[in-house]
Every structure is written in structure tokens, then in C-alpha cells.
Amino acid sequence: MKEKLSELKETVARLLKDRTVDFFIAYQAGHSQVEPIPFFLTTAEHVENLFLNNFCAHNLSKYLLDYLAGDEVVGVLAKGCDLRALKRLLTDHRVERGRVFVVGLPCIGIYDRKKVQEVYPAGLVEVVEEGEEVILRGETGDKRVPRKEYLLPRCLTCPDHNPEFYDLLLGEKVANGPLAEEDYSDVRALEEWAPGERRRYWTRQFERCLRCYACRNVCPACNCRVCCFDVAEPRWLGKGTSLDEQEMFHFTRAMHVAGRCTGCGECERVCPVNIPLMKLNKKLAKDIGALFHVPQAEIPTEVEPLGQFRLGDPDEFN
Amino acid sequence: MSVERAGTGVSTAGWEPKIIGFCCNWCSYAGADLAGTSRIPYPCNIRIIRVPCSGRVNPQFVLRAFQRGADGVLVAGCHPGDCHYSTGNYFTRRRFLLVKRLLEYLGIEPRRFQVRWISGSEGQKFADVVAEITEQVKALGPAKMDKMRDVM
């Protein structure tokens, strides 16, 4: 991905100069190689600070919600997964297609910062891909590992290495297809446990929640104009940090994004206390697929699965 | 009734389950009314909350009921096809098929949460459903979600 940096710089400079876009959202270098941060460019002079590597995980299209007022055209760099997120915002009529200029970025996988940092807590110089293997080049020496083990979970089952649509594509399209099939094995494993065991498991997870709302803020499906956790009413929906409120928050969020979740796993990635949030979202995605025959790959749908019904839906309630 | 649930150390002597019943105004609440006017006895463990439609029942209500001390929750609405608002209960059905599985996934014993279709003419069914749920929840014992009740 790094090799596309010069092309990205040229492209962004051109788009800003000829006023195709009023500003552009991409990445800049963070504290280290593994922590790129979002970058908002308003002039072509800033393109030298652009940064691109295989740790650019952030979904930048969520920032479009910050620019709803006004009439600027916003350029955004989007990988396949980010494009699905953007599609979510477009389907929900939150973002106008005409005000977004999508620069598509073919991507064969983003590395999981946390996993790499276990090997290189500091001093990672670069990551070199060699087929199914990857060389983590650090100051203290190289480490050759299987690529799959260091990718973000979403990248293993990623169906679109190339963005579905774009106004401009960086580089060439890459070979498509997931590295592994989504089999919901982690959800199934948890389903096998005794109810009491599951209760203890989830209590341990929710206990850690800080109510920082990072999961909500990063989620493309959480795009309500007003979030129920940001308003004073209803009073029975608490804002505090206590186990019951924390569980309520995650239960509510799981239900609110049920049938809307694009499966990007950003919530889990940004969680500072590592709550396995995708185990909730995947459980719902799995049940929606089984009960209502809407597979995860088809989401976002124009009418969401919980916003419609069929007379012949399964009925076990009698 | 056992005085102590095996292995839990929680005394259940004199304990009676609290069951919250969300009943739709047009069918299930009328069904409960019919049970009453027909003098059909049913356990007094159920606390009925009347809602305009079973589609009004937010999944958050169900979890909050458990967190605030309910041992069981019943959501009752019109039979599919009979909704006063034509389609409300079809949405309820989709939603609660998922909620039921999600609650179970979160470790809440599935028999504690039930959804039933009870029409306005089914007074007997209402009494039977309440008796059945009460019996099942009694056998399960207290929901023990007291840890969830640290904010009141």
C-alpha cells in the first residue's frame, strides 16, 4: 500500500488545486509506524504530510457526518470496508453522494496493531509482504510470520478488496475474494457454554466498559442524528458507569445496529478495554441470516431486516 | 419447594417470583381482563404493564426489567394477522426472535423471557400462560441479577 503514497499525493494535490474537492480526508503519520492517524487537508501544500501503509485501519467516511452542514465537496480515501461503511451512510440518507468524492484504495489486508505490537512493542521499521508471509522488520531484527495471523479479523473474511464504487481508483485493482469463510465459529463456541458460564463471561466483559463511546463514535451504523445515550430523556436510561448501565449500553447498541452492522469490526478495534463487541454483532448477523435470510454480505440493504417483515417469518411464540 | 437451591446457597424460602407482563392494549390486556371477569384464577406473580401494541415493547424494557429485579418477563400481543394496527406484531415477531436469542447468548435462562400471542377472547389462555411461566420461573429460582441492581 505504501507504494501508492506518491500517487495519492499527486491525486490529492490535483483534486485540491482544481477545486474538485474542498478538502480531503486521508492519513498522516502517528506516533509510530503502526499508528497512523486521520488527516484533514485543506490545501495542496499539505500533501507532503500524507501517510499510507498497511496499518491505516480507520474508516474515514464516518467523519463525513461532521460536515453535513454546508456545501463543501469532501474527498475521502476509502478501502473496500470503508466503502461499505460509506454505503451505509448513503443508504441511511445521512450523506449526499454528490458531496463526496471517493478515492478508492484497493487493499489486501490491514495489520492488527495490537498483534504486531506484541512482537514489536516499539521500533517497528516496516512491514514487507511476501506472498502468504510477512516480514516484520524491526530495529532488533526481522521476524517472518504467516500473514493471516497478523491481519485484522475483518480482513480474513473481507469480500471486497476493491471498493465497490469510487470516483477515482488508486493503482490497479487487486485479486478479490476472502481469505477465509465466515463460519461464526467464535459465536457458536460461546453458544455451547452453559447459560451461567456465559453470564459470567459477559459480566466480566461489560464490567470493564468505560462508557467512552469509542465503539459508537466509530460505528458507521451508529449514525443517528441524536443518540439515545446523549439525551436526558428517558430518565430510566442511565448514563453512569455501573455494570447494569454498561450492559444496557452494549445490549442497546447491539440491537440498534442489528441488521445494519456492516461487519467492519471497528468497534472492537477501537475499544480501549478490548470488549469482544463483534461477538455480539456477529451473533445477531448470524441469527438474521438464519431467520430472515439476509446474509451479512447483503447489508446495507435499502430496507433493513428489522424494518420489514414477511408473513411467513418463523413463529415460535404461539 | 426446596428451601435452598442446590449449590447456590440462596435461600428461596417464602420467595415468590416477580414476573413483568407487557400486554398489548387491544388483545392480551383484554384477554387478561376477560380472565378476570370470567373469574379464572391465575397466579398473582404477574405485574401487567399495558402497552398500546406489542410493537411498543422496546428490547431495553426487557433487559431493564431483569436488571431491576424481575425473575421473568412476558411480552404478549395479538396473534399475527390480528394486530389493531395491522402489522405491529409482525415487527415485534422479528425483533423478539432476535432478542430472545441475544438474551440467551448473554446468559439469561431462555425460559425467563417469553413472547406469546393472546387474543382478547383468550382469557383462559392468558391464565394458563401466566400459570405456566410462573411455574417455570419458580423452578428456576430467583434471577439473581442483583449484581445488576447497583444503581436504583
Side-chain angles (χ1 to χ4, degrees):
Chain A
M1 207 177 265
K2 233 165 110 184
E3 65 283 359
K4 290 179 188 139
L5 183 57
S6 56
E7 191 184 345
L8 175 68
K9 283 180 182 172
E10 279 167 34
T11 309
V12 175
R14 197 181 67 239
L15 292 173
L16 285 166
K17 264 184 203 147
D18 66 16
R19 307 299 290 165
T20 309
V21 301
D22 293 289
F23 64 95
F24 198 90
I25 312 176
Y27 303 97
Q28 64 180 323
H31 299 293
S32 70
Q33 282 283 321
V34 298
E35 296 165 289
I37 55 175
F39 186 27
F40 301 78
L41 298 89
T42 47
T43 74
E45 289 145 33
H46 294 157
V47 294
E48 279 316 307
N49 294 333
L50 280 168
F51 184 81
L52 201 59
N53 72 0
N54 285 51
F55 290 92
C56 292
H58 301 71
N59 161 28
L60 301 171
S61 59
K62 182 79 197 266
Y63 292 108
L64 293 170
L65 290 183
D66 296 339
Y67 303 96
L68 293 178
D71 52 8
E72 308 104 319
V73 174
V74 185
V76 68
L77 186 64
K79 305 180 291 293
C81 47
D82 304 340
L83 208 278
R84 278 163 79 85
L86 176 60
K87 225 173 128 188
R88 171 83 270 159
L89 299 176
L90 294 169
T91 310
D92 294 341
H93 304 288
R94 295 291 276 134
V95 171
E96 266 176 69
R97 179 68 183 94
R99 281 189 51 203
V100 192
F101 188 94
V102 183
V103 174
L105 181 63
C107 163
I108 53 165
I110 295 291
Y111 294 102
D112 190 331
R113 172 170 75 90
K114 288 171 188 166
K115 286 181 196 162
V116 172
Q117 278 178 326
E118 276 170 25
V119 187
Y120 279 108
L124 184 80
V125 179
E126 65 173 343
V127 174
V128 184
E129 277 147 352
E130 269 192 14
E132 288 306 298
E133 285 196 323
V134 63
I135 304 163
L136 303 172
R137 192 153 288 160
E139 283 163 6
T140 47
D142 292 0
K143 194 171 154 69
R144 189 180 275 268
V145 289
R147 236 184 111 235
K148 272 188 180 181
E149 286 175 22
Y150 285 81
L151 289 177
L152 282 173
R154 70 163 179 252
C155 300
L156 293 173
T157 55
C158 172
D160 6 66
H161 293 325
N162 303 300
E164 192 186 318
F165 57 84
Y166 43 79
D167 297 302
L168 206 149
L169 191 70
L170 275 193
E172 297 293 314
K173 281 194 176 185
V174 294
N176 216 345
L179 295 170
E181 285 301 319
E182 177 60 83
D183 56 0
Y184 297 110
S185 51
D186 45 351
V187 174
R188 279 178 217 280
L190 202 48
E191 282 171 348
E192 297 293 313
W193 295 15
E197 285 294 310
R198 274 203 301 272
R199 187 85 213 124
R200 276 189 288 282
Y201 172 79
W202 284 114
T203 303
R204 277 201 308 276
Q205 308 303 321
F206 295 143
E207 256 171 358
R208 297 201 300 272
C209 178
L210 309 168
R211 294 293 290 263
C212 69
Y213 293 150
C215 51
R216 180 199 65 177
N217 292 355
V218 81
C219 177
C222 261
N223 60 36
C224 288
R225 285 166 176 82
V226 178
C227 174
C228 65
F229 291 104
D230 281 344
V231 288
E233 300 283 336
R235 292 285 297 277
W236 56 264
L237 203 56
K239 319 295 185 258
T241 46
S242 58
L243 182 54
D244 60 341
E245 299 297 357
Q246 281 149 221
E247 178 172 44
M248 179 62 87
F249 171 66
H250 291 292
F251 173 82
T252 304
R253 228 185 70 77
M255 282 309 296
H256 282 187
V257 303
R260 305 171 31 74
C261 169
T262 57
C264 67
E266 282 285 272
C267 48
E268 194 172 279
R269 185 182 68 81
V270 299
C271 180
V273 290
N274 299 325
I275 300 175
L277 293 164
M278 280 311 281
K279 279 191 184 166
L280 288 179
N281 295 333
K282 277 190 186 178
K283 162 72 177 163
L284 285 158
K286 171 175 164 281
D287 288 346
I288 287 169
L291 292 165
F292 314 131
H293 313 295
V294 185
Q296 174 79 69
E298 280 178 22
I299 293 171
T301 47
E302 190 60 44
V303 182
E304 54 198 66
L306 286 187
Q308 58 175 305
F309 64 86
R310 294 236 168 84
L311 296 181
D313 280 339
D315 197 338
E316 57 192 38
F317 298 143
N318 60 64
Chain B
M1 194 172 81
S2 66
V3 171
E4 191 181 296
R5 267 168 81 212
T8 61
V10 176
S11 170
T12 58
W15 169 78
E16 281 290 329
K18 266 193 201 119
I19 295 161
I20 304 298
F22 293 98
C23 292
C24 100
N25 179 47
W26 304 98
C27 290
S28 310
Y29 196 82
D33 201 23
L34 183 64
T37 49
S38 312
R39 300 256 185 267
I40 306 170
Y42 60 86
C44 58
N45 301 69
I46 191 157
R47 272 75 162 169
I48 295 179
I49 297 175
R50 181 163 66 156
V51 287
C53 174
S54 56
R56 171 67 182 94
V57 184
N58 187 328
Q60 293 170 317
F61 296 171
V62 177
L63 183 65
R64 183 102 303 175
F66 280 119
Q67 290 180 339
R68 294 291 186 263
D71 300 298
V73 174
L74 166 72
V75 173
C78 308
H79 286 265
D82 287 352
C83 179
H84 180 78
Y85 308 100
S86 302
T87 56
N89 53 3
Y90 286 116
F91 293 99
T92 310
R93 185 167 68 179
R94 276 214 165 184
R95 191 184 312 146
F96 283 104
L97 279 166
L98 292 180
V99 171
K100 195 165 170 57
R101 285 161 175 75
L102 184 59
L103 287 175
E104 190 177 343
Y105 190 64
L106 292 174
I108 294 169
E109 172 60 52
R111 275 165 296 178
R112 291 189 190 279
F113 172 64
Q114 305 206 10
V115 183
R116 293 300 181 88
W117 311 129
I118 301 169
S119 85
S121 61
E122 292 176 326
Q124 185 63 52
K125 182 176 179 185
F126 179 84
D128 292 346
V129 164
V130 174
E132 185 191 327
I133 293 178
T134 307
E135 209 45 54
Q136 288 181 356
V137 174
K138 256 185 192 163
L140 291 168
K144 288 218 310 167
M145 284 184 59
D146 284 12
K147 216 181 162 192
M148 287 288 162
R149 299 175 68 195
D150 47 9
V151 168
M152 288 300 281

